[in-house]
Amino acid sequence: MTVAAGEQAPDFTLRDQNNEEFTLSAYRGKQAVLIIFYPLAFTGICTGELCSVRDDLHTFQNDAVQVVSVSVDSVYSHKIFSEREGYQFPLLADFWPHGAVAQLYGVFNEDAGFANRGTFLVDRTGVVRFAELNGPGEGRDAQTWRDAIAAL
């Protein structure tokens, strides 16, 4: 089951493209966190969605909110991906155990071996305030994320 709005967000710790740990619960009481699960780095729709965040970063990452993206790619793939595309936000590696965080959030695609397109806005208390799930090949509209952030 996918984590729904109104539920407590499952806590996790993953490493970003700089091999630094990111722990969701470290943001409690400080900032909301927008979590963007995507299937794979270097693919068309995924790149386009993350470039939308990059191009309007001040909306998604500021004093009130932190944005992170999550895929099953390795830290090393994320490093190259972030450098190539100029991403200035954490790209988290749900590499091993393979897709464990995506499974916690109910967005892991068992047949394909990667995360579906799940997006979760977690407020400062750790409660999910916005949740969406799209399958592979179904792009998301970043405006819905802006609207969810504005509604916090």
Side-chain angles (χ1 to χ4, degrees):
M1 296 264 314
T2 303
V3 174
E7 295 180 2
Q8 191 71 29
D11 194 22
F12 63 86
T13 300
L14 292 174
R15 292 197 175 269
D16 70 10
Q17 69 269 31
N18 298 312
N19 209 28
E20 306 267 332
E21 282 190 349
F22 175 94
T23 300
L24 179 62
S25 60
Y27 287 81
R28 287 209 181 123
K30 299 176 186 173
Q31 288 175 291
V33 179
L34 180 67
I35 306 168
I36 303 169
F37 287 92
Y38 64 99
L40 296 167
F42 302 103
T43 58
I45 294 172
C46 299
T47 301
E49 289 177 339
L50 296 183
C51 284
S52 292
V53 171
R54 177 200 65 200
D55 295 346
D56 191 19
L57 190 58
H58 67 279
T59 297
F60 300 106
Q61 185 166 282
N62 52 54
D63 290 341
V65 65
Q66 172 65 52
V67 64
V68 297
S69 63
V70 183
S71 79
V72 298
D73 296 295
S74 72
V75 168
Y76 310 105
S77 293
H78 283 155
K79 183 69 171 176
I80 301 299
F81 190 40
S82 68
E83 288 176 353
R84 184 181 103 176
E85 299 298 335
Y87 299 143
Q88 299 298 312
F89 52 88
L91 279 67
L92 305 179
D94 195 11
F95 184 73
W96 197 258
H98 188 72
V101 174
Q103 290 174 34
L104 274 177
Y105 278 77
V107 299
F108 190 72
N109 184 323
E110 294 283 343
D111 294 332
F114 53 65
N116 287 317
R117 296 177 197 288
T119 314
F120 303 89
L121 180 59
V122 180
D123 72 12
R124 292 176 187 203
T125 68
V127 174
V128 175
R129 295 297 172 195
F130 169 84
E132 72 175 335
L133 177 63
N134 291 21
E138 298 175 33
R140 294 167 283 192
D141 181 0
Q143 185 59 47
T144 60
W145 308 340
R146 289 181 192 93
D147 294 345
I149 290 168
L152 277 179

mmCIF file with all atom_site columns, all heavy atoms in Angstrom, residues 5-6 12 14 19 21 27-28 31 33 50 53 66 74 89-90 96 107 109 128 140-141 144:
data_model
loop_
_atom_site.group_PDB
_atom_site.id
_atom_site.type_symbol
_atom_site.label_atom_id
_atom_site.label_alt_id
_atom_site.label_comp_id
_atom_site.label_asym_id
_atom_site.label_entity_id
_atom_site.label_seq_id
_atom_site.pdbx_PDB_ins_code
_atom_site.Cartn_x
_atom_site.Cartn_y
_atom_site.Cartn_z
_atom_site.occupancy
_atom_site.B_iso_or_equiv
_atom_site.pdbx_formal_charge
_atom_site.auth_seq_id
_atom_site.auth_comp_id
_atom_site.auth_asym_id
_atom_site.auth_atom_id
_atom_site.pdbx_PDB_model_num
ATOM 1   N N   . ALA A 1 5   ? -1.693 10.580 2.269   1.00 0.00 ? 5   ALA A N   1
ATOM 2   C CA  . ALA A 1 5   ? -1.742 11.850 2.989   1.00 0.00 ? 5   ALA A CA  1
ATOM 3   C C   . ALA A 1 5   ? -2.441 11.628 4.325   1.00 0.00 ? 5   ALA A C   1
ATOM 4   O O   . ALA A 1 5   ? -3.413 10.879 4.420   1.00 0.00 ? 5   ALA A O   1
ATOM 5   C CB  . ALA A 1 5   ? -2.477 12.901 2.163   1.00 0.00 ? 5   ALA A CB  1
ATOM 6   N N   . GLY A 1 6   ? -1.882 12.247 5.367   1.00 0.00 ? 6   GLY A N   1
ATOM 7   C CA  . GLY A 1 6   ? -2.405 12.098 6.715   1.00 0.00 ? 6   GLY A CA  1
ATOM 8   C C   . GLY A 1 6   ? -1.681 11.055 7.544   1.00 0.00 ? 6   GLY A C   1
ATOM 9   O O   . GLY A 1 6   ? -1.830 11.011 8.759   1.00 0.00 ? 6   GLY A O   1
ATOM 10  N N   . PHE A 1 12  ? 13.780 7.176  7.184   1.00 0.00 ? 12  PHE A N   1
ATOM 11  C CA  . PHE A 1 12  ? 14.820 6.462  6.445   1.00 0.00 ? 12  PHE A CA  1
ATOM 12  C C   . PHE A 1 12  ? 16.107 7.261  6.481   1.00 0.00 ? 12  PHE A C   1
ATOM 13  O O   . PHE A 1 12  ? 16.104 8.461  6.749   1.00 0.00 ? 12  PHE A O   1
ATOM 14  C CB  . PHE A 1 12  ? 14.397 6.210  4.987   1.00 0.00 ? 12  PHE A CB  1
ATOM 15  C CG  . PHE A 1 12  ? 14.172 7.463  4.177   1.00 0.00 ? 12  PHE A CG  1
ATOM 16  C CD1 . PHE A 1 12  ? 15.236 8.093  3.532   1.00 0.00 ? 12  PHE A CD1 1
ATOM 17  C CD2 . PHE A 1 12  ? 12.914 8.014  4.059   1.00 0.00 ? 12  PHE A CD2 1
ATOM 18  C CE1 . PHE A 1 12  ? 15.042 9.245  2.783   1.00 0.00 ? 12  PHE A CE1 1
ATOM 19  C CE2 . PHE A 1 12  ? 12.690 9.165  3.307   1.00 0.00 ? 12  PHE A CE2 1
ATOM 20  C CZ  . PHE A 1 12  ? 13.758 9.784  2.674   1.00 0.00 ? 12  PHE A CZ  1
ATOM 21  N N   . LEU A 1 14  ? 19.461 7.463  3.809   1.00 0.00 ? 14  LEU A N   1
ATOM 22  C CA  . LEU A 1 14  ? 20.103 7.066  2.560   1.00 0.00 ? 14  LEU A CA  1
ATOM 23  C C   . LEU A 1 14  ? 21.277 7.994  2.303   1.00 0.00 ? 14  LEU A C   1
ATOM 24  O O   . LEU A 1 14  ? 21.365 9.079  2.862   1.00 0.00 ? 14  LEU A O   1
ATOM 25  C CB  . LEU A 1 14  ? 19.117 7.168  1.384   1.00 0.00 ? 14  LEU A CB  1
ATOM 26  C CG  . LEU A 1 14  ? 17.949 6.195  1.362   1.00 0.00 ? 14  LEU A CG  1
ATOM 27  C CD1 . LEU A 1 14  ? 16.998 6.543  0.218   1.00 0.00 ? 14  LEU A CD1 1
ATOM 28  C CD2 . LEU A 1 14  ? 18.432 4.759  1.228   1.00 0.00 ? 14  LEU A CD2 1
ATOM 29  N N   . ASN A 1 19  ? 27.869 11.011 -1.165  1.00 0.00 ? 19  ASN A N   1
ATOM 30  C CA  . ASN A 1 19  ? 28.064 9.956  -0.170  1.00 0.00 ? 19  ASN A CA  1
ATOM 31  C C   . ASN A 1 19  ? 27.798 10.442 1.257   1.00 0.00 ? 19  ASN A C   1
ATOM 32  O O   . ASN A 1 19  ? 28.288 9.880  2.216   1.00 0.00 ? 19  ASN A O   1
ATOM 33  C CB  . ASN A 1 19  ? 29.452 9.314  -0.285  1.00 0.00 ? 19  ASN A CB  1
ATOM 34  C CG  . ASN A 1 19  ? 29.443 7.875  0.165   1.00 0.00 ? 19  ASN A CG  1
ATOM 35  O OD1 . ASN A 1 19  ? 28.433 7.188  0.089   1.00 0.00 ? 19  ASN A OD1 1
ATOM 36  N ND2 . ASN A 1 19  ? 30.582 7.417  0.648   1.00 0.00 ? 19  ASN A ND2 1
ATOM 37  N N   . GLU A 1 21  ? 25.095 11.151 4.361   1.00 0.00 ? 21  GLU A N   1
ATOM 38  C CA  . GLU A 1 21  ? 23.835 10.587 4.827   1.00 0.00 ? 21  GLU A CA  1
ATOM 39  C C   . GLU A 1 21  ? 22.741 11.646 4.903   1.00 0.00 ? 21  GLU A C   1
ATOM 40  O O   . GLU A 1 21  ? 22.986 12.773 5.340   1.00 0.00 ? 21  GLU A O   1
ATOM 41  C CB  . GLU A 1 21  ? 23.997 9.945  6.207   1.00 0.00 ? 21  GLU A CB  1
ATOM 42  C CG  . GLU A 1 21  ? 24.656 8.601  6.160   1.00 0.00 ? 21  GLU A CG  1
ATOM 43  C CD  . GLU A 1 21  ? 24.593 7.861  7.493   1.00 0.00 ? 21  GLU A CD  1
ATOM 44  O OE1 . GLU A 1 21  ? 24.210 8.461  8.522   1.00 0.00 ? 21  GLU A OE1 1
ATOM 45  O OE2 . GLU A 1 21  ? 24.926 6.669  7.489   1.00 0.00 ? 21  GLU A OE2 1
ATOM 46  N N   . TYR A 1 27  ? 14.843 16.372 9.846   1.00 0.00 ? 27  TYR A N   1
ATOM 47  C CA  . TYR A 1 27  ? 14.166 17.600 9.413   1.00 0.00 ? 27  TYR A CA  1
ATOM 48  C C   . TYR A 1 27  ? 12.925 17.913 10.238  1.00 0.00 ? 27  TYR A C   1
ATOM 49  O O   . TYR A 1 27  ? 12.333 18.972 10.069  1.00 0.00 ? 27  TYR A O   1
ATOM 50  C CB  . TYR A 1 27  ? 13.831 17.498 7.919   1.00 0.00 ? 27  TYR A CB  1
ATOM 51  C CG  . TYR A 1 27  ? 15.083 17.629 7.097   1.00 0.00 ? 27  TYR A CG  1
ATOM 52  C CD1 . TYR A 1 27  ? 15.923 16.538 6.913   1.00 0.00 ? 27  TYR A CD1 1
ATOM 53  C CD2 . TYR A 1 27  ? 15.468 18.847 6.563   1.00 0.00 ? 27  TYR A CD2 1
ATOM 54  C CE1 . TYR A 1 27  ? 17.108 16.663 6.208   1.00 0.00 ? 27  TYR A CE1 1
ATOM 55  C CE2 . TYR A 1 27  ? 16.646 18.984 5.853   1.00 0.00 ? 27  TYR A CE2 1
ATOM 56  C CZ  . TYR A 1 27  ? 17.462 17.880 5.688   1.00 0.00 ? 27  TYR A CZ  1
ATOM 57  O OH  . TYR A 1 27  ? 18.634 18.009 4.997   1.00 0.00 ? 27  TYR A OH  1
ATOM 58  N N   . ARG A 1 28  ? 12.551 17.006 11.138  1.00 0.00 ? 28  ARG A N   1
ATOM 59  C CA  . ARG A 1 28  ? 11.364 17.252 11.976  1.00 0.00 ? 28  ARG A CA  1
ATOM 60  C C   . ARG A 1 28  ? 11.569 18.509 12.812  1.00 0.00 ? 28  ARG A C   1
ATOM 61  O O   . ARG A 1 28  ? 12.608 18.708 13.416  1.00 0.00 ? 28  ARG A O   1
ATOM 62  C CB  . ARG A 1 28  ? 11.087 16.056 12.874  1.00 0.00 ? 28  ARG A CB  1
ATOM 63  C CG  . ARG A 1 28  ? 10.544 14.917 12.069  1.00 0.00 ? 28  ARG A CG  1
ATOM 64  C CD  . ARG A 1 28  ? 9.627  14.015 12.842  1.00 0.00 ? 28  ARG A CD  1
ATOM 65  N NE  . ARG A 1 28  ? 9.189  12.950 11.947  1.00 0.00 ? 28  ARG A NE  1
ATOM 66  C CZ  . ARG A 1 28  ? 9.359  11.676 12.174  1.00 0.00 ? 28  ARG A CZ  1
ATOM 67  N NH1 . ARG A 1 28  ? 9.919  11.283 13.289  1.00 0.00 ? 28  ARG A NH1 1
ATOM 68  N NH2 . ARG A 1 28  ? 8.942  10.792 11.303  1.00 0.00 ? 28  ARG A NH2 1
ATOM 69  N N   . GLN A 1 31  ? 12.055 21.725 8.754   1.00 0.00 ? 31  GLN A N   1
ATOM 70  C CA  . GLN A 1 31  ? 11.595 21.966 7.390   1.00 0.00 ? 31  GLN A CA  1
ATOM 71  C C   . GLN A 1 31  ? 10.678 20.838 6.948   1.00 0.00 ? 31  GLN A C   1
ATOM 72  O O   . GLN A 1 31  ? 10.820 19.697 7.399   1.00 0.00 ? 31  GLN A O   1
ATOM 73  C CB  . GLN A 1 31  ? 12.773 21.983 6.405   1.00 0.00 ? 31  GLN A CB  1
ATOM 74  C CG  . GLN A 1 31  ? 13.673 23.178 6.470   1.00 0.00 ? 31  GLN A CG  1
ATOM 75  C CD  . GLN A 1 31  ? 14.856 22.994 5.531   1.00 0.00 ? 31  GLN A CD  1
ATOM 76  O OE1 . GLN A 1 31  ? 15.709 22.152 5.772   1.00 0.00 ? 31  GLN A OE1 1
ATOM 77  N NE2 . GLN A 1 31  ? 14.896 23.787 4.473   1.00 0.00 ? 31  GLN A NE2 1
ATOM 78  N N   . VAL A 1 33  ? 9.726  18.292 3.860   1.00 0.00 ? 33  VAL A N   1
ATOM 79  C CA  . VAL A 1 33  ? 10.580 17.609 2.880   1.00 0.00 ? 33  VAL A CA  1
ATOM 80  C C   . VAL A 1 33  ? 9.707  17.102 1.739   1.00 0.00 ? 33  VAL A C   1
ATOM 81  O O   . VAL A 1 33  ? 8.721  16.393 1.967   1.00 0.00 ? 33  VAL A O   1
ATOM 82  C CB  . VAL A 1 33  ? 11.356 16.436 3.517   1.00 0.00 ? 33  VAL A CB  1
ATOM 83  C CG1 . VAL A 1 33  ? 12.215 15.731 2.468   1.00 0.00 ? 33  VAL A CG1 1
ATOM 84  C CG2 . VAL A 1 33  ? 12.215 16.920 4.686   1.00 0.00 ? 33  VAL A CG2 1
ATOM 85  N N   . LEU A 1 50  ? 13.190 16.241 -12.879 1.00 0.00 ? 50  LEU A N   1
ATOM 86  C CA  . LEU A 1 50  ? 14.192 16.802 -11.982 1.00 0.00 ? 50  LEU A CA  1
ATOM 87  C C   . LEU A 1 50  ? 14.722 18.143 -12.492 1.00 0.00 ? 50  LEU A C   1
ATOM 88  O O   . LEU A 1 50  ? 15.066 19.017 -11.700 1.00 0.00 ? 50  LEU A O   1
ATOM 89  C CB  . LEU A 1 50  ? 15.321 15.808 -11.738 1.00 0.00 ? 50  LEU A CB  1
ATOM 90  C CG  . LEU A 1 50  ? 14.903 14.518 -11.028 1.00 0.00 ? 50  LEU A CG  1
ATOM 91  C CD1 . LEU A 1 50  ? 16.116 13.630 -10.778 1.00 0.00 ? 50  LEU A CD1 1
ATOM 92  C CD2 . LEU A 1 50  ? 14.148 14.784 -9.738  1.00 0.00 ? 50  LEU A CD2 1
ATOM 93  N N   . VAL A 1 53  ? 12.526 20.841 -11.241 1.00 0.00 ? 53  VAL A N   1
ATOM 94  C CA  . VAL A 1 53  ? 12.892 21.230 -9.875  1.00 0.00 ? 53  VAL A CA  1
ATOM 95  C C   . VAL A 1 53  ? 14.119 22.128 -9.913  1.00 0.00 ? 53  VAL A C   1
ATOM 96  O O   . VAL A 1 53  ? 14.156 23.184 -9.284  1.00 0.00 ? 53  VAL A O   1
ATOM 97  C CB  . VAL A 1 53  ? 13.138 19.978 -8.996  1.00 0.00 ? 53  VAL A CB  1
ATOM 98  C CG1 . VAL A 1 53  ? 13.721 20.357 -7.646  1.00 0.00 ? 53  VAL A CG1 1
ATOM 99  C CG2 . VAL A 1 53  ? 11.851 19.180 -8.835  1.00 0.00 ? 53  VAL A CG2 1
ATOM 100 N N   . GLN A 1 66  ? 12.759 21.284 2.050   1.00 0.00 ? 66  GLN A N   1
ATOM 101 C CA  . GLN A 1 66  ? 13.934 20.651 1.451   1.00 0.00 ? 66  GLN A CA  1
ATOM 102 C C   . GLN A 1 66  ? 13.427 19.639 0.431   1.00 0.00 ? 66  GLN A C   1
ATOM 103 O O   . GLN A 1 66  ? 12.495 18.889 0.719   1.00 0.00 ? 66  GLN A O   1
ATOM 104 C CB  . GLN A 1 66  ? 14.754 19.922 2.518   1.00 0.00 ? 66  GLN A CB  1
ATOM 105 C CG  . GLN A 1 66  ? 15.896 19.069 1.999   1.00 0.00 ? 66  GLN A CG  1
ATOM 106 C CD  . GLN A 1 66  ? 16.987 19.894 1.335   1.00 0.00 ? 66  GLN A CD  1
ATOM 107 O OE1 . GLN A 1 66  ? 17.475 20.846 1.923   1.00 0.00 ? 66  GLN A OE1 1
ATOM 108 N NE2 . GLN A 1 66  ? 17.364 19.522 0.133   1.00 0.00 ? 66  GLN A NE2 1
ATOM 109 N N   . SER A 1 74  ? 22.928 3.902  -7.958  1.00 0.00 ? 74  SER A N   1
ATOM 110 C CA  . SER A 1 74  ? 23.991 3.997  -6.955  1.00 0.00 ? 74  SER A CA  1
ATOM 111 C C   . SER A 1 74  ? 24.386 5.445  -6.696  1.00 0.00 ? 74  SER A C   1
ATOM 112 O O   . SER A 1 74  ? 24.074 6.341  -7.482  1.00 0.00 ? 74  SER A O   1
ATOM 113 C CB  . SER A 1 74  ? 25.228 3.219  -7.427  1.00 0.00 ? 74  SER A CB  1
ATOM 114 O OG  . SER A 1 74  ? 25.855 3.911  -8.497  1.00 0.00 ? 74  SER A OG  1
ATOM 115 N N   . PHE A 1 89  ? 20.469 19.637 -5.302  1.00 0.00 ? 89  PHE A N   1
ATOM 116 C CA  . PHE A 1 89  ? 19.654 19.058 -4.241  1.00 0.00 ? 89  PHE A CA  1
ATOM 117 C C   . PHE A 1 89  ? 20.052 17.589 -4.114  1.00 0.00 ? 89  PHE A C   1
ATOM 118 O O   . PHE A 1 89  ? 20.645 17.020 -5.036  1.00 0.00 ? 89  PHE A O   1
ATOM 119 C CB  . PHE A 1 89  ? 18.154 19.213 -4.532  1.00 0.00 ? 89  PHE A CB  1
ATOM 120 C CG  . PHE A 1 89  ? 17.727 18.723 -5.893  1.00 0.00 ? 89  PHE A CG  1
ATOM 121 C CD1 . PHE A 1 89  ? 17.368 17.399 -6.093  1.00 0.00 ? 89  PHE A CD1 1
ATOM 122 C CD2 . PHE A 1 89  ? 17.697 19.589 -6.974  1.00 0.00 ? 89  PHE A CD2 1
ATOM 123 C CE1 . PHE A 1 89  ? 16.984 16.950 -7.353  1.00 0.00 ? 89  PHE A CE1 1
ATOM 124 C CE2 . PHE A 1 89  ? 17.316 19.154 -8.235  1.00 0.00 ? 89  PHE A CE2 1
ATOM 125 C CZ  . PHE A 1 89  ? 16.955 17.831 -8.419  1.00 0.00 ? 89  PHE A CZ  1
ATOM 126 N N   . PRO A 1 90  ? 19.767 16.961 -2.977  1.00 0.00 ? 90  PRO A N   1
ATOM 127 C CA  . PRO A 1 90  ? 20.187 15.572 -2.777  1.00 0.00 ? 90  PRO A CA  1
ATOM 128 C C   . PRO A 1 90  ? 19.488 14.587 -3.714  1.00 0.00 ? 90  PRO A C   1
ATOM 129 O O   . PRO A 1 90  ? 18.261 14.607 -3.843  1.00 0.00 ? 90  PRO A O   1
ATOM 130 C CB  . PRO A 1 90  ? 19.809 15.297 -1.321  1.00 0.00 ? 90  PRO A CB  1
ATOM 131 C CG  . PRO A 1 90  ? 19.731 16.639 -0.673  1.00 0.00 ? 90  PRO A CG  1
ATOM 132 C CD  . PRO A 1 90  ? 19.222 17.558 -1.754  1.00 0.00 ? 90  PRO A CD  1
ATOM 133 N N   . TRP A 1 96  ? 20.878 -0.304 -1.944  1.00 0.00 ? 96  TRP A N   1
ATOM 134 C CA  . TRP A 1 96  ? 20.949 -1.552 -1.188  1.00 0.00 ? 96  TRP A CA  1
ATOM 135 C C   . TRP A 1 96  ? 20.589 -1.318 0.256   1.00 0.00 ? 96  TRP A C   1
ATOM 136 O O   . TRP A 1 96  ? 21.123 -0.379 0.855   1.00 0.00 ? 96  TRP A O   1
ATOM 137 C CB  . TRP A 1 96  ? 22.354 -2.156 -1.278  1.00 0.00 ? 96  TRP A CB  1
ATOM 138 C CG  . TRP A 1 96  ? 22.327 -3.587 -0.869  1.00 0.00 ? 96  TRP A CG  1
ATOM 139 C CD1 . TRP A 1 96  ? 22.726 -4.108 0.327   1.00 0.00 ? 96  TRP A CD1 1
ATOM 140 C CD2 . TRP A 1 96  ? 21.839 -4.677 -1.639  1.00 0.00 ? 96  TRP A CD2 1
ATOM 141 N NE1 . TRP A 1 96  ? 22.512 -5.443 0.352   1.00 0.00 ? 96  TRP A NE1 1
ATOM 142 C CE2 . TRP A 1 96  ? 21.959 -5.826 -0.855  1.00 0.00 ? 96  TRP A CE2 1
ATOM 143 C CE3 . TRP A 1 96  ? 21.283 -4.792 -2.913  1.00 0.00 ? 96  TRP A CE3 1
ATOM 144 C CZ2 . TRP A 1 96  ? 21.569 -7.082 -1.291  1.00 0.00 ? 96  TRP A CZ2 1
ATOM 145 C CZ3 . TRP A 1 96  ? 20.895 -6.030 -3.352  1.00 0.00 ? 96  TRP A CZ3 1
ATOM 146 C CH2 . TRP A 1 96  ? 21.045 -7.159 -2.551  1.00 0.00 ? 96  TRP A CH2 1
ATOM 147 N N   . VAL A 1 107 ? 5.959  2.353  -3.273  1.00 0.00 ? 107 VAL A N   1
ATOM 148 C CA  . VAL A 1 107 ? 6.112  2.771  -4.669  1.00 0.00 ? 107 VAL A CA  1
ATOM 149 C C   . VAL A 1 107 ? 7.078  1.882  -5.458  1.00 0.00 ? 107 VAL A C   1
ATOM 150 O O   . VAL A 1 107 ? 7.349  2.163  -6.618  1.00 0.00 ? 107 VAL A O   1
ATOM 151 C CB  . VAL A 1 107 ? 6.545  4.257  -4.775  1.00 0.00 ? 107 VAL A CB  1
ATOM 152 C CG1 . VAL A 1 107 ? 5.500  5.163  -4.140  1.00 0.00 ? 107 VAL A CG1 1
ATOM 153 C CG2 . VAL A 1 107 ? 7.904  4.498  -4.158  1.00 0.00 ? 107 VAL A CG2 1
ATOM 154 N N   . ASN A 1 109 ? 8.305  -0.943 -7.755  1.00 0.00 ? 109 ASN A N   1
ATOM 155 C CA  . ASN A 1 109 ? 7.749  -1.754 -8.832  1.00 0.00 ? 109 ASN A CA  1
ATOM 156 C C   . ASN A 1 109 ? 8.526  -3.071 -8.870  1.00 0.00 ? 109 ASN A C   1
ATOM 157 O O   . ASN A 1 109 ? 9.638  -3.127 -9.398  1.00 0.00 ? 109 ASN A O   1
ATOM 158 C CB  . ASN A 1 109 ? 7.869  -0.987 -10.156 1.00 0.00 ? 109 ASN A CB  1
ATOM 159 C CG  . ASN A 1 109 ? 7.232  -1.696 -11.316 1.00 0.00 ? 109 ASN A CG  1
ATOM 160 O OD1 . ASN A 1 109 ? 7.275  -2.910 -11.429 1.00 0.00 ? 109 ASN A OD1 1
ATOM 161 N ND2 . ASN A 1 109 ? 6.640  -0.909 -12.202 1.00 0.00 ? 109 ASN A ND2 1
ATOM 162 N N   . VAL A 1 128 ? 2.652  13.064 6.211   1.00 0.00 ? 128 VAL A N   1
ATOM 163 C CA  . VAL A 1 128 ? 2.525  13.253 4.767   1.00 0.00 ? 128 VAL A CA  1
ATOM 164 C C   . VAL A 1 128 ? 1.313  14.139 4.503   1.00 0.00 ? 128 VAL A C   1
ATOM 165 O O   . VAL A 1 128 ? 0.197  13.832 4.934   1.00 0.00 ? 128 VAL A O   1
ATOM 166 C CB  . VAL A 1 128 ? 2.373  11.893 4.047   1.00 0.00 ? 128 VAL A CB  1
ATOM 167 C CG1 . VAL A 1 128 ? 2.126  12.102 2.553   1.00 0.00 ? 128 VAL A CG1 1
ATOM 168 C CG2 . VAL A 1 128 ? 3.608  11.022 4.274   1.00 0.00 ? 128 VAL A CG2 1
ATOM 169 N N   . ARG A 1 140 ? 4.956  13.479 -14.240 1.00 0.00 ? 140 ARG A N   1
ATOM 170 C CA  . ARG A 1 140 ? 4.214  14.264 -13.245 1.00 0.00 ? 140 ARG A CA  1
ATOM 171 C C   . ARG A 1 140 ? 4.311  15.739 -13.576 1.00 0.00 ? 140 ARG A C   1
ATOM 172 O O   . ARG A 1 140 ? 5.242  16.183 -14.235 1.00 0.00 ? 140 ARG A O   1
ATOM 173 C CB  . ARG A 1 140 ? 4.804  14.018 -11.848 1.00 0.00 ? 140 ARG A CB  1
ATOM 174 C CG  . ARG A 1 140 ? 4.617  12.594 -11.377 1.00 0.00 ? 140 ARG A CG  1
ATOM 175 C CD  . ARG A 1 140 ? 5.458  12.299 -10.161 1.00 0.00 ? 140 ARG A CD  1
ATOM 176 N NE  . ARG A 1 140 ? 6.858  12.107 -10.562 1.00 0.00 ? 140 ARG A NE  1
ATOM 177 C CZ  . ARG A 1 140 ? 7.799  11.608 -9.778  1.00 0.00 ? 140 ARG A CZ  1
ATOM 178 N NH1 . ARG A 1 140 ? 7.520  11.275 -8.535  1.00 0.00 ? 140 ARG A NH1 1
ATOM 179 N NH2 . ARG A 1 140 ? 9.029  11.444 -10.203 1.00 0.00 ? 140 ARG A NH2 1
ATOM 180 N N   . ASP A 1 141 ? 3.372  16.502 -13.044 1.00 0.00 ? 141 ASP A N   1
ATOM 181 C CA  . ASP A 1 141 ? 3.330  17.946 -13.236 1.00 0.00 ? 141 ASP A CA  1
ATOM 182 C C   . ASP A 1 141 ? 3.884  18.615 -11.986 1.00 0.00 ? 141 ASP A C   1
ATOM 183 O O   . ASP A 1 141 ? 3.278  18.523 -10.907 1.00 0.00 ? 141 ASP A O   1
ATOM 184 C CB  . ASP A 1 141 ? 1.890  18.384 -13.492 1.00 0.00 ? 141 ASP A CB  1
ATOM 185 C CG  . ASP A 1 141 ? 1.755  19.879 -13.730 1.00 0.00 ? 141 ASP A CG  1
ATOM 186 O OD1 . ASP A 1 141 ? 2.775  20.608 -13.704 1.00 0.00 ? 141 ASP A OD1 1
ATOM 187 O OD2 . ASP A 1 141 ? 0.614  20.335 -13.933 1.00 0.00 ? 141 ASP A OD2 1
ATOM 188 N N   . THR A 1 144 ? 1.739  20.710 -9.414  1.00 0.00 ? 144 THR A N   1
ATOM 189 C CA  . THR A 1 144 ? 1.007  20.118 -8.287  1.00 0.00 ? 144 THR A CA  1
ATOM 190 C C   . THR A 1 144 ? 1.872  20.118 -7.036  1.00 0.00 ? 144 THR A C   1
ATOM 191 O O   . THR A 1 144 ? 1.354  20.273 -5.928  1.00 0.00 ? 144 THR A O   1
ATOM 192 C CB  . THR A 1 144 ? 0.514  18.688 -8.593  1.00 0.00 ? 144 THR A CB  1
ATOM 193 O OG1 . THR A 1 144 ? 1.624  17.846 -8.872  1.00 0.00 ? 144 THR A OG1 1
ATOM 194 C CG2 . THR A 1 144 ? -0.462 18.668 -9.758  1.00 0.00 ? 144 THR A CG2 1
#
